[in-house]
Amino acid sequence: SAVISQKPSRDICQRGTSLTIQCQVDSQVTMMFWYRQQPGQSLTLIATANQGSEATYESGFVIDKFPISRPNLTFSTLTVSNMSPEDSSIYLCSVEGGDRGSYGYTFGSGTRLTVV
Amino acid sequence: SQQGEEDPQALSIQEGENATMNCSYKTSINNLQWYRQNSGRGLVHLILIRSNEREKHSGRLRVTLDTSKKSSSLLITASRAADTASYFCATDKGGSYIPTFGRGTSLIVHP
């Protein structure tokens, strides 16, 4: 299965600023997924990132707030823009194992974001 | 909205005991997956069971799936302190193969 390097692992940011999270995969993958996990909650899908096209955002998430780049088949970034304390969460990237996740999904180690 | 819901929300047991967690879901699925998360870190894929399977084993893990009841269970046998983590079930739904996660069960195994 793929190995994902995600960074930073954690950060404390001032409100109104932006943070860019990076995920590097050790193999080429078609789709990459970005999730948010609010404290004590489940994972919520933010968007799906395809190389060479705009990301597809889930309901409640918009590109202006969470711009995503996918410059090649092994790399993606998620930016959390104009942060507020409500953005304090763990952010995770993920890739599918096998066709349409038929072997499960691999996750990065997560970025724990605290906005003060 | 969550597709899968785990039960119980929290479970505390002694080392050596078995731990059972349940997951219920609402709509038909192609597969159901279980993941472990240690201390708010990344999720680790444990096991995937397809809708035409009823039981699957992996080491000390045993997963069952009852599609008629729309439920699954994860059994960890002979638990160890290192099994302390949150466990999530994830299902695909509505024709989308992208997994939707439940709220998770927090398992504490006391040495």
Coordinates of all heavy atoms in Angstrom, one line a residue, chain B residues 23 25 29 32 49-51 53-55 63-73:
Chain B
C23 N -21.2 -1.6 14.6 CA -21.4 -0.5 13.7 C -22.8 -0.8 13.0 O -23.0 -1.9 12.5 CB -20.3 -0.5 12.7 SG -20.6 0.7 11.3
Y25 N -25.5 0.9 10.0 CA -25.5 1.8 8.9 C -26.9 1.8 8.3 O -27.8 1.0 8.6 CB -24.5 1.4 7.8 CG -24.6 0.0 7.3 CD1 -25.3 -0.2 6.1 CD2 -23.9 -1.0 7.9 CE1 -25.4 -1.5 5.6 CE2 -24.0 -2.3 7.4 CZ -24.8 -2.6 6.3 OH -24.9 -3.8 5.8
I29 N -24.7 -1.1 1.0 CA -23.3 -0.8 0.8 C -22.6 -1.8 -0.1 O -23.2 -2.9 -0.4 CB -22.5 -0.9 2.2 CG1 -22.7 -2.3 2.8 CG2 -23.1 0.2 3.1 CD1 -21.9 -2.5 4.0
L32 N -17.7 -2.6 3.8 CA -17.6 -1.9 5.1 C -16.1 -2.1 5.6 O -15.6 -3.2 5.4 CB -18.6 -2.5 6.1 CG -18.7 -1.8 7.5 CD1 -20.1 -1.8 8.0 CD2 -17.7 -2.4 8.5
I49 N -14.6 -5.7 4.6 CA -15.4 -6.8 4.3 C -16.5 -6.4 3.3 O -17.0 -5.3 3.3 CB -16.1 -7.3 5.6 CG1 -16.9 -8.6 5.4 CG2 -17.0 -6.2 6.3 CD1 -17.3 -9.3 6.7
R50 N -16.6 -7.2 2.3 CA -17.5 -6.9 1.2 C -18.9 -7.3 1.5 O -19.2 -8.2 2.4 CB -17.0 -7.6 -0.1 CG -15.6 -7.2 -0.4 CD -15.1 -7.8 -1.7 NE -13.7 -7.7 -1.8 CZ -13.0 -6.6 -2.1 NH1 -13.6 -5.5 -2.3 NH2 -11.7 -6.6 -2.1
S51 N -19.9 -6.8 0.8 CA -21.3 -7.0 1.1 C -21.7 -8.5 0.9 O -22.7 -8.9 1.5 CB -22.2 -6.1 0.2 OG -22.0 -6.4 -1.1
E53 N -19.8 -11.0 1.8 CA -19.1 -11.7 2.9 C -19.8 -11.6 4.2 O -20.4 -10.6 4.5 CB -17.6 -11.2 3.0 CG -16.8 -11.4 1.7 CD -15.4 -10.9 1.7 OE1 -15.3 -9.7 2.2 OE2 -14.5 -11.6 1.4
R54 N -19.6 -12.6 5.0 CA -20.3 -12.6 6.3 C -19.3 -12.5 7.5 O -19.7 -12.0 8.6 CB -21.2 -13.8 6.5 CG -22.4 -13.9 5.6 CD -23.3 -12.7 5.9 NE -24.3 -12.5 4.8 CZ -24.2 -11.6 3.9 NH1 -23.2 -10.8 3.9 NH2 -25.2 -11.5 3.0
E55 N -18.1 -13.0 7.3 CA -17.1 -12.9 8.3 C -15.7 -12.9 7.7 O -15.5 -13.4 6.6 CB -17.3 -14.2 9.2 CG -16.4 -14.2 10.4 CD -16.8 -15.4 11.3 OE1 -18.0 -15.6 11.6 OE2 -15.9 -16.1 11.8
V63 N -14.2 -9.7 12.0 CA -15.3 -8.8 11.6 C -16.4 -9.6 11.1 O -16.2 -10.6 10.3 CB -14.8 -7.8 10.6 CG1 -15.9 -7.1 9.9 CG2 -13.8 -6.8 11.2
T64 N -17.6 -9.3 11.5 CA -18.8 -9.9 10.9 C -19.6 -8.8 10.2 O -19.6 -7.6 10.6 CB -19.7 -10.6 12.0 OG1 -20.1 -9.6 12.9 CG2 -18.8 -11.7 12.7
L65 N -20.4 -9.2 9.3 CA -21.3 -8.3 8.5 C -22.7 -9.0 8.4 O -22.7 -10.1 7.9 CB -20.7 -7.9 7.2 CG -21.6 -7.0 6.3 CD1 -21.7 -5.6 7.0 CD2 -21.0 -6.9 4.9
D66 N -23.7 -8.3 8.8 CA -25.1 -8.8 8.6 C -25.8 -7.7 7.8 O -26.3 -6.7 8.3 CB -25.8 -9.0 10.0 CG -27.1 -9.6 9.8 OD1 -27.8 -9.5 8.8 OD2 -27.6 -10.3 10.8
T67 N -25.9 -8.0 6.5 CA -26.5 -6.9 5.6 C -28.0 -6.8 5.8 O -28.6 -5.8 5.6 CB -26.2 -7.2 4.1 OG1 -26.6 -8.6 3.8 CG2 -24.8 -7.1 3.8
S68 N -28.7 -7.9 6.3 CA -30.1 -7.8 6.6 C -30.4 -6.9 7.8 O -31.4 -6.2 7.8 CB -30.6 -9.2 6.9 OG -30.1 -9.7 8.1
K69 N -29.5 -6.8 8.7 CA -29.6 -5.9 9.8 C -28.8 -4.7 9.7 O -28.9 -3.8 10.5 CB -29.2 -6.6 11.1 CG -30.0 -7.8 11.5 CD -29.5 -8.5 12.8 CE -30.4 -9.7 13.2 NZ -29.9 -10.3 14.4
K70 N -28.1 -4.5 8.6 CA -27.3 -3.4 8.3 C -26.4 -3.1 9.5 O -26.4 -2.0 10.1 CB -28.1 -2.2 8.0 CG -28.9 -2.2 6.6 CD -29.6 -1.0 6.3 CE -30.1 -1.0 4.9 NZ -31.0 -2.0 4.6
S71 N -25.6 -4.1 9.9 CA -24.8 -4.0 11.0 C -23.5 -4.8 10.8 O -23.5 -5.8 10.1 CB -25.5 -4.4 12.3 OG -25.7 -5.8 12.3
S72 N -22.5 -4.4 11.6 CA -21.2 -5.1 11.5 C -20.6 -5.1 12.9 O -21.0 -4.2 13.7 CB -20.2 -4.4 10.6 OG -18.9 -5.0 10.7
S73 N -19.8 -6.0 13.2 CA -19.1 -6.0 14.5 C -17.6 -6.3 14.3 O -17.2 -7.0 13.4 CB -19.7 -7.0 15.5 OG -19.4 -8.3 15.0

